[in-house]
Amino acid sequence: MLRSQLVTAPQVAPAVAGRRATCRLAVRAAATSAPSNGSSAGQPKKKVLVVGGGWAGFGATKHLAEQGYDVTLLDASPNPGGLSAGWRTPQGRAVEAGVKGFWYQYHNIFSMIRELGIPWPFTDFETSGFWGANGNLITQAPVFSKLPRLPAVLGQFVHTFNLFDNLPLADRATIIPWLYTAIDLGSTPGSYERYDSMTALEMFRSFGITQKAYEQFLKPTLLVGLFAPPEDLSAAVTIETLYFYALAHQSDFDVCWCKGSVGELIFEPLIAKIKERGGKIQGGRLVSGIETDAVGNVVALVAHDTATGQEERLEADAVVFAISIAGMQRLVQANRVLGDRREFQNVMNLRSIDCIATRLWFDRRVPTRFPANVLAGFEQDCGATYFNLTDLHDEYKNEPGTVVAADFYGATRLLPLTDEEIVKKVQSNMATCEPAFRDAKVVDAAVLRFPRAVTHFAPGSAQWRPTQATSFPNLFLAGDWVKGLDHGANGLSQERAWVSGLAAANLVVSHLGQGDPAKILPVEPDEPHIAAAKEVNRTLKTALYNTGVRSPFL
């Protein structure tokens, strides 16, 4: 039986119904009785509206509730969750909007989980496989944190030296000169913008990377990391992303997975925590209007109740928009007060990416070599992954059959296919890598389409991306697509989205003058040899820049 759903941003799939009792009790035990920085006795609390219920929106709402604000989160979905949303089918089976990894440097998300006091929701760091379209294993990613720690870059090279089954050392070696870009990005005025104007493909070619290293490793890595092919990605964001996820420290590429639905294991107790601190969560509220006063402050939002059709006016002392690019563009189009301003006109030049998430239930157990898998070259310019949830999710440990989640990124060409065609494609792809799937029968499946759901970091897009502070004194933005966020988490990152929410909350605290700023944990500092290389490069490049000499390849 196939179940299909078309999910449009920012209205996304409903979150899981029914909280787990252990999570509820743990949150209640951890919560204090009152916010630490509430308003003075007899004084009304200052009102803040947060629009968008993903990682960024929850981050802002949580901190503002803890600082004593009258904060309300509004989201178009009946039960907010953003692109980490999920729900259960009438048969009780969990489905969610794609599988999300949690990487080694996700310090702020891991800290929030510990603060909630809930049972640890993540697996151990897991290995993963990279498969070629012929079914041969290209390489595998080990758990670097369990191996002897070596200096950054050297450690990654040494510990994967014998793990590349089908990518010769000579091809891998051509990637080494490109590593210079990690120390050069932003070294002189305008260098970031020059890298941003290039495509990642142009950058790789300029450093002489072989076609085989590009096609079998770099391209599939970016298709599942930034959801677009290198010829359609900013070189600057590509460098930032690969540095954050894989290069800065040996263990950066280590990834763990949620042991069940993110909506159920993490967002449910997080929402309970927010409510216990006085915050309000209102799902099924699609923001359609913005009111400002004579000096340009946003004083109210108009929200449409998606269930009743009624409109409601909600007053605010400050507003945080923590929605997707597509959602922001719809607001700009519908509200002249935004459309008249250059920064929001610029948002209209940004692009988003289509994705498809599937979940398949098979009639038998099919062991897989790795719990997480990346597919290279299976779909033209489309990233593809599959995950053995029988190994990753607790609730499937005793299932008689195998449960698999398979996702497609940059999936525009696949959107018109029928559910049956997509399911067949998923099974065929997996059977190429794991032949036992060929004879297994799909007994149930769900196919979810997410048009324009994810940020596209296209070449030249930095000039159009907004900062978190806007020309409205009390309106702030959050999400992985904002720029100017002074934190090392980059690219498509749940950590970046969460941190941007905390940063937006800090802007509210500063503007309204109530409460303390959130403590944002930085990524691990650059290792000494990397920091020294950056400083030497910066010194030399600055001297050349001041004489008018520019990098020839930029």
Side-chain angles (χ1 to χ4, degrees):
M1 175 182 178
L2 290 177
R3 292 181 296 275
S4 176
Q5 185 164 346
L6 178 68
V7 186
T8 57
Q11 183 167 348
V12 295
V16 176
R19 297 191 177 100
R20 295 191 174 185
T22 54
C23 293
R24 287 203 308 268
L25 294 174
V27 171
R28 288 172 180 166
T32 56
S33 58
S36 59
N37 289 286
S39 54
S40 302
Q43 296 294 321
K45 292 183 176 182
K46 294 179 179 179
K47 296 181 179 179
V48 183
L49 297 176
V50 177
V51 183
W55 287 100
F58 282 138
T61 303
K62 175 182 179 292
H63 185 69
L64 293 171
E66 291 170 343
Q67 300 309 304
Y69 287 92
D70 179 2
V71 57
T72 301
L73 183 147
L74 306 171
D75 193 84
S77 171
N79 294 293
L83 281 175
S84 290
W87 69 97
R88 289 193 177 272
T89 69
Q91 294 78 23
R93 288 175 165 164
V95 181
E96 57 186 333
V99 176
K100 311 295 191 300
F102 295 81
W103 266 260
Y104 190 83
Q105 293 284 348
Y106 278 22
H107 301 311
N108 290 278
I109 288 181
F110 293 149
S111 176
M112 177 270 291
I113 298 295
R114 295 187 188 97
E115 180 189 342
L116 289 179
I118 61 177
W120 193 247
F122 302 119
T123 67
D124 292 336
F125 291 119
E126 298 280 358
T127 59
S128 54
F130 283 62
W131 299 90
N134 57 3
N136 291 330
L137 184 68
I138 298 172
T139 187
Q140 58 183 287
V143 179
F144 288 99
S145 56
K146 294 182 179 179
L147 300 172
R149 179 157 181 172
L150 299 173
V153 181
L154 176 64
Q156 292 93 314
F157 177 78
V158 169
H159 294 312
T160 61
F161 185 83
N162 293 320
L163 298 180
F164 282 85
D165 296 344
N166 289 281
L167 186 59
L169 177 61
D171 292 288
R172 283 179 275 154
T174 64
I175 299 175
I176 294 175
W178 167 80
L179 298 177
Y180 166 73
T181 64
I183 66 172
D184 186 52
L185 184 68
S187 60
T188 56
S191 72
Y192 184 94
E193 289 74 18
R194 291 193 290 275
Y195 274 109
D196 183 65
S197 67
M198 298 175 63
T199 71
L201 176 57
E202 290 170 336
M203 174 180 65
F204 293 146
R205 283 177 172 169
S206 70
F207 281 94
I209 293 174
T210 65
Q211 188 70 13
K212 193 167 187 177
Y214 171 76
E215 291 288 348
Q216 293 195 16
F217 186 65
L218 289 173
K219 183 175 182 178
T221 297
L222 291 174
L223 281 169
V224 301
L226 287 172
F227 293 11
E231 62 267 26
D232 206 13
L233 285 173
S234 156
V237 176
T238 297
I239 298 166
E240 288 180 325
T241 300
L242 293 177
Y243 188 71
F244 170 60
Y245 279 112
L247 297 175
H249 313 89
Q250 176 182 298
S251 300
D252 285 350
F253 199 66
D254 284 358
V255 59
C256 58
W257 310 92
C258 196
K259 293 190 287 187
S261 164
V262 171
E264 184 170 340
L265 296 190
I266 300 177
F267 283 171
E268 290 274 345
L270 176 58
I271 289 171
K273 175 84 167 187
I274 290 171
K275 289 181 177 178
E276 291 198 13
R277 303 310 294 265
K280 295 183 285 292
I281 309 292
Q282 293 189 9
R285 300 295 190 276
L286 184 63
V287 173
S288 57
I290 302 170
E291 296 182 13
T292 58
D293 61 16
V295 296
N297 285 297
V298 177
V299 296
L301 298 179
V302 177
H304 177 83
D305 188 321
T306 58
T308 66
Q310 295 181 340
E311 285 190 344
E312 180 181 8
R313 181 180 181 274
L314 301 101
E315 295 183 350
D317 295 299
V319 172
V320 176
F321 282 137
I323 54 180
S324 67
I325 288 173
M328 194 73 245
Q329 289 172 335
R330 281 192 284 272
L331 271 179
V332 172
Q333 288 178 303
N335 291 273
R336 186 63 182 268
V337 68
L338 296 177
D340 282 342
R341 304 210 177 195
R342 177 63 62 86
E343 68 209 286
F344 292 101
Q345 294 171 0
N346 289 345
V347 169
M348 301 304 295
N349 284 330
L350 297 175
R351 294 155 55 191
S352 303
I353 294 172
D354 303 325
C355 298
I356 294 175
T358 72
R359 189 158 294 189
L360 281 64
W361 285 262
F362 288 93
D363 65 342
R364 67 194 70 178
R365 282 295 182 109
V366 181
T368 57
R369 186 169 173 182
F370 306 98
N373 300 271
V374 175
L375 304 182
F378 282 72
E379 307 296 336
Q380 181 180 352
D381 293 340
C382 175
T385 54
Y386 71 90
F387 305 86
N388 187 340
L389 299 186
T390 310
D391 292 338
L392 297 175
H393 285 196
D394 287 344
E395 68 177 290
Y396 299 131
K397 297 294 185 184
N398 297 318
E399 281 272 328
T402 298
V403 183
V404 171
D407 301 330
F408 297 97
Y409 321 104
T412 305
R413 294 174 58 253
L414 304 182
L415 288 179
L417 299 183
T418 66
D419 293 351
E420 289 79 6
E421 289 170 331
I422 291 174
V423 168
K424 287 180 180 179
K425 184 178 288 291
V426 169
Q427 184 170 9
S428 174
N429 289 348
M430 293 191 302
T432 301
C433 308
E434 316 270 5
F437 277 110
R438 190 168 290 115
D439 297 325
K441 180 181 179 182
V442 178
V443 297
D444 201 0
V447 177
L448 308 174
R449 294 167 172 80
F450 298 89
R452 299 179 63 208
V454 179
T455 303
H456 184 183
F457 293 103
S461 60
Q463 63 184 313
W464 311 122
R465 290 163 56 196
T467 59
Q468 293 200 264
T470 73
S471 58
F472 296 92
N474 67 337
L475 173 61
F476 309 101
L477 304 178
D480 61 16
W481 55 284
V482 299
K483 67 180 179 183
L485 182 63
D486 187 19
H487 193 271
N490 288 305
L492 294 175
S493 163
Q494 294 166 103
E495 175 79 354
R496 179 176 175 82
W498 177 261
V499 167
S500 77
L502 298 180
N506 289 348
L507 291 171
V508 172
V509 167
S510 176
H511 177 72
L512 296 181
Q514 175 186 313
D516 298 321
K519 295 179 180 179
I520 298 175
L521 302 176
V523 297
E524 187 177 343
D526 287 333
E527 294 182 13
H529 65 293
I530 300 293
K534 286 185 176 182
E535 184 58 34
V536 169
N537 181 71
R538 185 180 300 110
T539 300
L540 293 175
K541 293 292 287 286
T542 299
L544 292 172
Y545 181 87
N546 290 335
T547 62
V549 177
R550 301 292 185 266
S551 173
F553 94 92
L554 285 179

